[in-house]
Amino acid sequence: MRIVIAGGHGQIALRLERLLAARGDEVAGIVRKAEQGDDLRAAGAEPIVLDLESASVEEVAQRLRGADAAVFAAGAGPGSGVARKDTVDKGAAVLFADAAVLAGVRRFVVVSSMGADPAHPGDDIFDVYQRAKGEADAYVQGLDALDWTILRPGALTNDAGTGLVRLEAHTGRGQVPRDDVAAALAELLDTPATSGLTLELISGSTPVSVAVKSVAGN
């Protein structure tokens, strides 16, 4: 498969790129800065330099044409202000989804956040983030032209992955290593029967591949 990842220099994205490249997929990652390209190449991915805060839907669609799947893993990051929650966590996600529709890329996987909700209350920066992610998710869920899956991990850690997770519509709060999030994304990309599902992910006792097959109904 050819897979294009938005937010290609993110911590989860770099892990996912390594996994996909290692299994023989063709991977490209969209990054904002040319100097991030070496890290992507080291992970086995082709860097595409494009700023999703200023690009047009046609420019993004041009980079997506010919792909078998697209992954939205971009984020404004913990140090960003309120404005960039809207322009990246929501705006870039909407743009990337629209570009996938325009490019004819049906398989679309979103890295969201546990608790994302367009009606999330509060004015703290994390509240704004949860609303932005929720609004982006709701937009993607409304696009019939996409075979979408939304993954909402719990609290992310840099612990070594165990390969054992809990993946359900509602898991309750918990932590999960970024390694295991990347592993789950790789499996979800291979499992189109998970289209139309919004899933939460935390550490658990089920191997990733078994957990994905279970939610897919296999």
Side-chain angles (χ1 to χ4, degrees), residues 1 3 5 8 10-28 39-45 71 151 160-163 165 177-190 201 208-209 212:
M1 287 202 298
I3 299 158
I5 302 171
Q11 295 188 68
I12 290 171
L14 285 167
R15 288 167 166 83
L16 177 59
E17 286 154 7
R18 281 191 287 270
L19 288 176
L20 296 175
R23 75 183 195 187
D25 287 325
E26 183 184 336
V27 193
D39 290 337
L40 270 73
R41 283 185 280 267
V71 179
L151 183 66
T162 64
V165 297
R178 288 178 172 88
D179 287 350
D180 290 336
V181 178
L185 290 167
E187 287 286 340
L188 289 168
L189 283 165
D190 266 358
L201 178 74
V208 169
S209 60
V212 171

Side-chain angles (χ1 to χ4, degrees), residues 101 106 139-148:
V101 172
R106 289 202 63 94
Y139 185 83
V140 171
Q141 289 162 341
L143 293 174
D144 292 337
L146 295 181
D147 296 327
W148 54 264

